[in-house]
């Protein structure tokens, strides 16, 4: 929340359980996650969508008020996709907050040229309306405080991919758009 670091001096005489002192309120815990199946943790667009649609139980800090039993309960929460628009835009969360600053997450996320979203739809599926093709990728280079955006896009009239970089434009190919700087993906039906 703050953009400056503050120094806090704690009285060691009160840093114990008797006075209710709890380090977890001051230090963000670090969790080591050990994957059970390597396929589930590969950075791909498909796995990102699977994670987005996973159900979860709300923790005690996010309990839901049940109108029937009139109590706060740890409810189940799940996001489902019921229908798809003509165009889809995906944004990769490249920036994460680390204490009082933000850091950029580097690394390539694999995404296909064509994708079928029928496995992710909840309810009846029209197979003719679930297939999408990639037509543009926006890329971010640098840090959050000083970065640069470029884009690879398919121009339908020319039937070719181009790289757009500020005022310049040059021919490119679809494979050049698949890189570790991908930030926004644009798909169309």
């Amino acid at each position: 929340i703050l953009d400056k670091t503050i120094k806090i001096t704690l009285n060691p005489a009160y840093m114990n359980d008797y006075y209710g002192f709890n380090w977890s309120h001051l230090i963000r815990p670090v969790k080591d996650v050990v994957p059970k199946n390597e396929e589930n943790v590969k950075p791909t667009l498909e796995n990102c969508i699977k994670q987005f649609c996973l159900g979860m139980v709300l923790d005690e800090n996010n309990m839901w008020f049940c109108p029937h039993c009139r109590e706060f309960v740890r409810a189940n929460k799940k996001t489902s996709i019921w229908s798809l628009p003509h165009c889809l835009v995906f944004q990769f969360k490249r920036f994460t907050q680390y204490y009082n600053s933000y850091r950029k997450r580097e690394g390539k996320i694999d995404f296909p040229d064509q994708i079928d979203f029928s496995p992710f739809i909840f309810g009846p599926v029209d197979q003719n309306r679930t297939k999408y093709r990639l037509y543009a990728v926006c890329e971010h280079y640098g840090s959050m405080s000083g970065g640069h955006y470029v884009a690879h896009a398919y121009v339908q009239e020319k039937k070719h991919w181009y790289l757009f970089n500020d005022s310049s434009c040059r021919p490119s190919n679809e494979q050049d758009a698949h890189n570790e700087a991908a930030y926004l993906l644009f798909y169309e039906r």
Side-chain angles (χ1 to χ4, degrees):
I1 296 172
L2 299 173
D3 61 353
K4 300 202 185 263
T5 304
I6 59 172
K7 183 177 180 181
I8 298 173
T9 304
L10 301 172
N11 185 343
Y14 293 97
M15 293 172 55
N16 57 48
D17 291 336
Y18 178 77
Y19 290 104
F21 183 80
N22 188 346
W23 275 107
S24 66
H25 293 296
L26 298 175
I27 300 173
R28 184 176 300 165
V30 177
K31 295 181 182 178
D32 291 330
V33 178
V34 179
K36 294 178 183 174
N37 181 353
E38 188 65 29
E39 184 65 29
N40 290 336
V41 294
K42 282 186 180 176
T44 65
L45 178 60
E46 184 176 321
N47 285 337
C48 290
I49 297 168
K50 285 179 186 176
Q51 288 293 316
F52 178 75
C53 295
L54 276 180
M56 64 182 282
V57 178
L58 298 176
D59 63 11
E60 52 275 345
N61 295 325
N62 294 302
M63 292 198 292
W64 174 71
F65 183 77
C66 176
H68 300 294
C69 62
R70 303 235 171 270
E71 292 181 9
F72 285 95
V73 295
R74 293 182 63 193
N76 292 323
K77 179 189 100 167
K78 184 171 183 351
T79 301
S80 300
I81 301 171
W82 286 76
S83 64
L84 295 167
H86 180 71
C87 293
L88 290 170
V89 179
F90 293 97
Q91 175 189 359
F92 294 135
K93 184 179 177 183
R94 290 288 188 185
F95 299 101
T96 56
Q97 185 174 1
Y98 185 76
Y99 293 100
N100 63 343
S101 65
Y102 286 89
R103 291 189 178 169
K104 183 176 178 185
R105 293 174 135 186
E106 302 289 345
K108 185 174 183 183
I109 300 173
D110 291 326
F111 50 93
D113 301 333
Q114 296 183 0
I115 188 168
D116 184 4
F117 284 95
S118 58
F120 307 112
I121 302 296
F122 187 82
V125 177
D126 180 1
Q127 295 292 338
N128 297 327
R129 301 180 62 84
T130 60
K131 293 178 175 62
Y132 286 76
R133 73 170 183 86
L134 181 72
Y135 72 91
V137 177
C138 183
E139 302 153 31
H140 179 270
Y141 294 95
S143 66
M144 187 169 171
S145 59
H148 184 69
Y149 291 92
V150 300
H152 281 87
Y154 182 75
V155 177
Q156 185 68 34
E157 293 79 23
K158 301 277 187 177
K159 305 272 191 241
H160 198 64
W161 281 82
Y162 288 88
L163 171 65
F164 297 91
N165 186 354
D166 291 336
S167 61
S168 70
C169 175
R170 65 177 174 85
S172 182
N173 63 54
E174 190 170 14
Q175 294 311 316
D176 289 343
H178 292 266
N179 59 54
E180 64 279 348
Y183 182 61
L184 293 170
L185 307 178
F186 297 85
Y187 284 88
E188 67 180 349
R189 189 179 296 135

